[in-house]
Amino acid sequence: ALDKMWHEDCLKCACCDCRLGETGSTLYLKANLILCKRDYLRLFGMTGHCASCQRLIPAFDLVMRCGELVYHLNCFSCYECQQKFCVGDRYFLYNNQILCEDDHERTRKSHLSSSTDASLYSK
């Protein structure tokens, strides 16, 4: 690690003292501190608010991003039907709202039909 050789007991997180060889192959170096992922994110990660529930997202939480919007994993669902998305599911961003494929299609058709109706009446 860091172009040096280490005893397993010597390569530890500066904050929590966990042995980095046991927590995975990733370590972080910041401000001359060797850190595990959790402590690095806790100390230096960005926090924000969930676009769905508006609650704070801790820096060490896994998130879903859609454009500039950030969501808790449990909040990443269709705005209309609240269907949770799984890996590989298609979703659409429409007016800053995440929609499943079915609701996106319904919204798009509804929007097209209302703009067609409006153009008929405006003549």
Side-chain angles (χ1 to χ4, degrees):
L2 306 172
D3 296 326
K4 297 179 184 176
M5 299 293 285
W6 300 80
H7 292 110
E8 281 187 33
D9 289 338
C10 295
L11 186 59
K12 295 180 182 180
C13 175
C15 286
C16 70
D17 230 16
C18 73
R19 292 171 46 177
L20 293 171
E22 293 176 353
T23 60
S25 59
T26 305
L27 64 88
Y28 298 83
L29 182 65
K30 179 93 175 197
N32 288 327
L33 297 172
I34 296 173
L35 302 166
C36 66
K37 181 177 182 177
R38 183 175 178 91
D39 283 327
Y40 173 80
L41 291 173
R42 184 176 57 79
L43 294 170
F44 301 106
M46 294 178 55
T47 59
H49 289 84
C50 177
S52 178
C53 72
Q54 306 306 315
R55 289 181 302 184
L56 183 68
I57 301 175
F60 53 82
D61 275 6
L62 295 174
V63 297
M64 290 298 294
R65 294 183 184 276
C66 186
E68 295 293 316
L69 304 175
V70 182
Y71 298 85
H72 292 107
L73 290 181
N74 287 335
C75 294
F76 194 67
S77 59
C78 176
Y79 179 80
E80 292 292 329
C81 69
Q82 284 70 48
Q83 170 191 327
K84 300 248 186 254
F85 295 106
C86 297
V87 175
D89 286 349
R90 291 180 56 166
Y91 60 88
F92 299 85
L93 186 61
Y94 183 79
N95 290 336
N96 279 338
Q97 297 170 344
I98 296 174
L99 299 174
C100 66
E101 202 163 6
D102 291 341
D103 286 324
H104 176 259
E105 190 62 24
R106 266 192 292 281
T107 301
R108 192 179 66 78
K109 285 181 180 175
S110 171
H111 180 73
L112 287 175
S113 110
S114 66
S115 57
T116 302
D117 291 344
S119 67
L120 289 174
Y121 292 114
S122 65
K123 290 183 178 181

